Amino acid sequence: MLVRNSVYEHCLKLNKGSHKHTFYKVLDQLVTCILSVSLARANGNSYAHRGELRQAKRIVVKLGSAVVTRGDECGLALGRLASVVEQVAMLQNQGREMMIVTSGAVAFGKQRLRHEILLSQSVRQALHSGQNQLKDMSVPVLEARACAAAGQSGLMALYEAMFTQYSTCTAQVLVTNLDFHDDQKRQNLNSTLQELLRMNIVPIINTNDAVVPPPEPNSDLQGVNVISIKDNDSLAARLAVEMKADLLIALSDVEGLYDSPPGSDDAKLIDIFYPGDQQSITYGTKSRVGLGGMEAKVKAALWALQGGTSVVIANGTHPKVTGHVITDIVEGKKVGTFFSEVKPAGPTVEQQTEMARNSGRTLAALHPDQRGAIICHLADLLVEKKEEILAANKTDMDLAANLSSALLNRLSLSPAKLNSLAIGLRQIALASQDSVGRVLRRTRVAHNLELEQITVPIGVLLVIFEARPDCLPQVSALAIASGNALLAKGGKEAANTNRVLHELTQEALDIHGVKEAVQLVSTREEVEDLCRLDKMIDLIIPRGSSALVRNIQRAAKSIPVLGHSEGICHIYVDSEAAIDKVIKIVRDSKCDYPAACNAMETLLVHRDILRTTLFDQIIDMLLRTDWLLVWWNGWLHLTTTSNQIFIFFH
């Protein structure tokens, strides 16, 4: 309550008392939402969305045997291990509390024992035969407990040496199942780990495989308070819940969780996994090393999720991602499979893209008159449903009261804007009759053989635009006219307006059964995640600032981007220009809609016009439209609170 009152008082000063009822209603929803998220984490609930992983303070990183060991299962994969250590040390130095559950003692010990046995056999053979010839030297089967005993010290020494390079201290903790089932031992373990974390030390935990008994064949995860530590997956899950960790990252040799065995042709990576989805999955065989398989990982992940810890299963062996997989997960990027208890009401962005692609093919096959009819119907809906659109826009405007006046002008809609938008859509409908299937060029290659260049749809377009809701029907009309499916990602400031406009767009599309051809991406998908859908999206078109375009071009490595440079919005007035035309053009280019991205920025005037009637009329017109005139450093500077014109003399 204190938080709500404090926010009210602060925002009331900004609001200055206008629209109090709507303001308080919107603000109350916002504060309630913020408080509910904070209370959810305080009560031990896991994060609902990937973006919330940035808030993770205490993180457990589980390194599977396939990540730590080499392909020959003898010795450690030092390169991968070094990249993991670098990422963990970086997160630790950011103020997070990092813990590592590691495999590798058996593999490291196996390497040492094999070397010792071969050396011993070589020496004995040389002594008995008097020669240095090595004959039929074979290594016996090595017992896992002996390998673990021989490898633990070397593994820990390696971790310590690597972390020392980043001025990070480590501590080894060996546990068994009894350490969790005995209350006193569990409390001691918890106290030890808490103290290590308090001293900014990274605990490196492993099962004490030198003494641990073999896992019971039918033991499994049972309830919230009981778990059988039979592999490092279950150990990491139990440890994460015991230590109230915010996030458990389980690294393996697969990209994440698939709906069928990863080697099969129709296997699809599951982006988000929800409790209750187990029946829809077919598990494959376990990894080449280690005790558990993907089924064990899923059960451990669900157990940890039930205990309040978020879980991500990802690939820690791929050379292209190993160096940043942990930091990418913590930054909320779409990596691996994220386990969540909150199932969204709508489809995922992958499902939306699939629906758009399928419906887009039908759209492309429609007759041009049918596509034109869809656009005209959308134009009619904009006029008929203007009250509904404007009501949603008012809600967005109330929520965005702290934005600059230029952004608010772009965000706002009016009856005049909607009428102008409808006129523009009808013009697109008339001009789209030959957009698809038009022959651009025809070349006769040989007798009875002609080569034709024909306009065809591109496929699925992803258009990303900022807080400008009128962009949605414009882009939708262009996509419909050209027979392309569309994914529209608008600015969050216009969420309510975009939702209504998208509903009207789908209503128009439905007259010819292609309702799903235009999709509005309103989930918490990051733009970088959308840019990774290279198998689903054919072209990305960012509409907005140059910074937005650069960010999209940087993120989209495998999808073409139709970017734009910064426009030159200049007007030049020549000494022979007609006075009546100059006044109209200058007024329309800036004063009619100053917030537009193509509004005039520079007025370039011929020097002969200076101190003439024409120049005086231009200045008088600008001053009458609430512009401020400033003479500075040899040129005129006209400005309002949020817009400006530079007048140069040529």
Side-chain angles (χ1 to χ4, degrees):
M1 192 61 187
L2 290 174
V3 175
R4 180 178 281 108
N5 289 341
S6 173
V7 175
Y8 280 158
E9 292 174 2
H10 176 68
C11 291
L12 185 58
K13 296 177 182 177
L14 299 177
N15 191 54
K16 297 181 181 178
S18 61
H19 308 292
K20 289 182 180 178
H21 178 72
T22 304
F23 178 71
Y24 276 123
K25 182 179 178 182
V26 171
L27 180 60
D28 189 67
Q29 294 174 352
L30 177 63
V31 174
T32 302
C33 178
I34 294 172
L35 290 176
S36 63
V37 173
S38 301
L39 288 173
R41 287 302 306 150
N43 294 332
N45 295 333
S46 59
Y47 295 119
H49 307 282
R50 282 185 184 268
E52 297 172 352
L53 296 180
R54 299 186 186 95
Q55 306 169 19
K57 170 72 173 176
R58 182 169 291 181
I59 303 172
V60 176
V61 178
K62 182 263 174 181
L63 305 178
S65 299
V67 177
V68 178
T69 59
R70 297 197 314 237
D72 59 4
E73 302 179 24
C74 292
L76 304 179
L78 298 180
R80 288 200 295 264
L81 206 56
S83 66
V84 168
V85 167
E86 181 180 10
Q87 295 172 81
V88 171
M90 185 180 72
L91 294 172
Q92 180 80 5
N93 293 332
Q94 290 177 358
R96 305 179 196 268
E97 297 176 343
M98 305 297 298
M99 292 178 280
I100 294 179
V101 175
T102 182
S103 302
V106 173
F108 196 62
K110 184 184 293 185
Q111 181 187 34
R112 291 183 62 184
L113 293 180
R114 282 169 60 95
H115 178 76
E116 291 297 328
I117 290 172
L118 288 174
L119 182 61
S120 176
Q121 288 180 346
S122 174
V123 171
R124 284 200 303 270
Q125 192 177 69
L127 290 175
H128 285 86
S129 63
Q131 299 177 356
N132 289 330
Q133 298 176 353
L134 306 180
K135 299 178 180 179
D136 300 329
M137 289 195 299
S138 60
V139 179
V141 177
L142 300 175
E143 206 272 332
R145 292 190 186 87
C147 292
Q152 281 289 359
S153 59
L155 178 64
M156 191 59 208
L158 183 62
Y159 272 119
E160 188 171 355
M162 287 183 172
F163 273 106
T164 300
Q165 303 301 314
Y166 303 97
S167 302
T168 302
C169 187
T170 59
Q172 182 182 33
V173 180
L174 297 177
V175 298
T176 64
N177 211 359
L178 296 177
D179 295 322
F180 290 96
H181 288 284
D182 184 279
D183 289 340
Q184 185 60 48
K185 290 184 177 181
R186 191 177 74 253
Q187 291 175 10
N188 292 341
L189 175 61
N190 188 302
S191 177
T192 299
L193 293 174
Q194 294 283 6
E195 183 65 14
L196 291 174
L197 294 175
R198 187 188 67 80
M199 294 188 293
N200 201 32
I201 295 174
V202 177
I204 298 178
I205 304 116
N206 195 1
T207 53
N208 192 355
D209 294 326
V211 299
V212 71
E216 299 177 15
N218 296 321
S219 64
D220 212 335
L221 312 181
Q222 307 164 18
V224 178
N225 298 320
V226 179
I227 183 173
S228 175
I229 308 297
K230 57 181 181 179
D231 53 35
N232 276 346
D233 295 314
S234 51
L235 169 60
R238 180 59 191 265
L239 183 73
V241 174
E242 180 71 29
M243 296 300 297
K244 295 182 173 58
D246 300 314
L247 173 62
L248 167 60
I249 300 175
L251 298 182
S252 183
D253 57 350
V254 292
E255 303 299 325
L257 182 59
Y258 288 81
D259 56 359
S260 57
S264 57
D265 295 334
D266 58 345
K268 292 183 179 179
L269 179 66
I270 300 174
D271 173 39
I272 305 177
F273 186 82
Y274 306 98
D277 288 355
Q278 299 96 309
Q279 305 302 322
S280 62
I281 296 177
T282 303
Y283 296 102
T285 58
K286 74 180 188 70
S287 63
R288 57 180 173 80
V289 290
L291 297 174
M294 185 54 71
E295 185 173 7
K297 289 176 174 57
V298 171
K299 290 180 178 180
L302 291 175
W303 190 90
L305 189 68
Q306 187 180 2
T309 298
S310 297
V311 183
V312 175
I313 296 178
N315 192 338
T317 63
H318 197 291
K320 291 186 178 180
V321 301
T322 302
H324 48 80
V325 59
I326 298 175
T327 52
D328 282 353
I329 291 171
V330 175
E331 289 173 5
K333 295 181 181 179
K334 188 176 288 188
V335 178
T337 300
F338 172 63
F339 286 72
S340 174
E341 293 183 299
V342 180
K343 199 163 189 175
T348 65
V349 68
E350 289 84 1
Q351 292 170 333
Q352 285 185 291
T353 308
E354 191 68 30
M355 290 188 294
R357 181 177 289 279
N358 294 335
S359 193
R361 290 175 178 141
T362 305
L363 174 67
L366 293 178
H367 191 273
D369 291 338
Q370 293 175 306
R371 290 194 294 270
I374 293 173
I375 300 172
C376 289
H377 187 46
L378 176 57
D380 295 337
L381 289 173
L382 292 179
V383 178
E384 294 172 9
K385 301 292 181 70
K386 68 171 60 176
E387 297 301 327
E388 184 180 350
I389 298 170
L390 294 176
N393 186 246
K394 185 179 183 302
T395 302
D396 288 330
M397 293 290 290
D398 291 336
L399 284 168
N402 60 334
L403 293 179
S404 66
S405 58
L407 289 178
L408 286 175
N409 287 336
R410 296 182 186 181
L411 177 62
S412 67
L413 292 178
S414 64
K417 273 190 180 181
L418 292 176
N419 290 333
S420 176
L421 193 57
I423 293 172
L425 263 57
R426 293 189 182 97
Q427 292 173 346
I428 292 175
L430 290 175
S432 66
Q433 295 301 308
D434 59 349
S435 295
V436 179
R438 184 173 78 255
V439 178
L440 301 177
R441 184 168 56 185
R442 183 182 289 113
T443 303
R444 176 169 292 179
V445 179
H447 181 65
N448 293 331
L449 180 61
E450 290 186 346
L451 181 65
E452 291 184 340
Q453 182 182 10
I454 304 175
T455 58
V456 296
I458 295 173
V460 178
L461 310 179
L462 169 61
V463 178
I464 302 170
F465 52 95
E466 295 171 329
R468 195 168 184 170
D470 53 344
C471 184
L472 179 56
Q474 292 172 346
V475 172
S476 298
L478 291 171
I480 294 167
S482 56
N484 289 295
L486 173 65
L487 284 179
K489 172 71 171 173
K492 61 181 182 296
E493 298 87 355
N496 294 287
T497 313
N498 286 338
R499 175 181 52 79
V500 175
L501 291 173
H502 176 248
E503 290 172 357
L504 298 180
T505 303
Q506 290 202 320
E507 183 179 339
L509 287 163
D510 203 27
I511 65 174
H512 287 295
V514 287
K515 178 181 178 181
E516 308 297 340
V518 175
Q519 297 287 329
L520 178 63
V521 180
S522 56
T523 62
R524 295 187 177 216
E525 300 292 332
E526 297 288 346
V527 171
E528 288 189 6
D529 295 330
L530 293 172
C531 293
R532 292 192 181 99
L533 300 177
D534 56 321
K535 295 182 180 178
M536 300 181 176
I537 297 173
D538 299 296
L539 178 66
I540 300 176
I541 305 175
R543 288 193 59 180
S545 64
S546 57
L548 172 67
V549 175
R550 286 194 300 269
N551 290 336
I552 299 301
Q553 290 173 330
R554 185 164 46 248
K557 295 180 173 58
S558 304
I559 307 176
V561 178
L562 183 60
H564 62 80
S565 183
E566 296 181 2
I568 301 177
C569 301
H570 293 2
I571 288 182
Y572 170 64
V573 181
D574 190 69
S575 59
E576 304 296 328
I579 295 178
D580 56 339
K581 289 184 179 180
V582 169
I583 299 299
K584 290 179 181 178
I585 291 173
V586 172
R587 180 192 296 114
D588 181 72
S589 64
K590 188 65 177 181
C591 303
D592 181 59
Y593 187 16
C597 58
N598 62 342
M600 178 177 63
E601 295 172 353
T602 299
L603 179 60
L604 190 61
V605 180
H606 194 284
R607 66 174 60 253
D608 290 346
I609 295 178
L610 184 62
R611 297 184 181 91
T612 65
T613 303
L614 174 57
F615 184 75
D616 292 340
Q617 289 180 349
I618 294 174
I619 299 301
D620 290 342
M621 180 271 296
L622 292 172
L623 291 175
R624 286 196 304 271
T625 52
D626 198 29
W627 288 81
L628 178 65
L629 180 62
V630 180
W631 181 269
W632 181 73
N633 199 24
W635 44 269
L636 285 175
H637 178 203
L638 287 91
T639 181
T640 63
T641 42
S642 59
N643 296 284
Q644 59 186 10
I645 301 176
F646 299 104
I647 301 183
F648 295 92
F649 300 99
H650 174 64

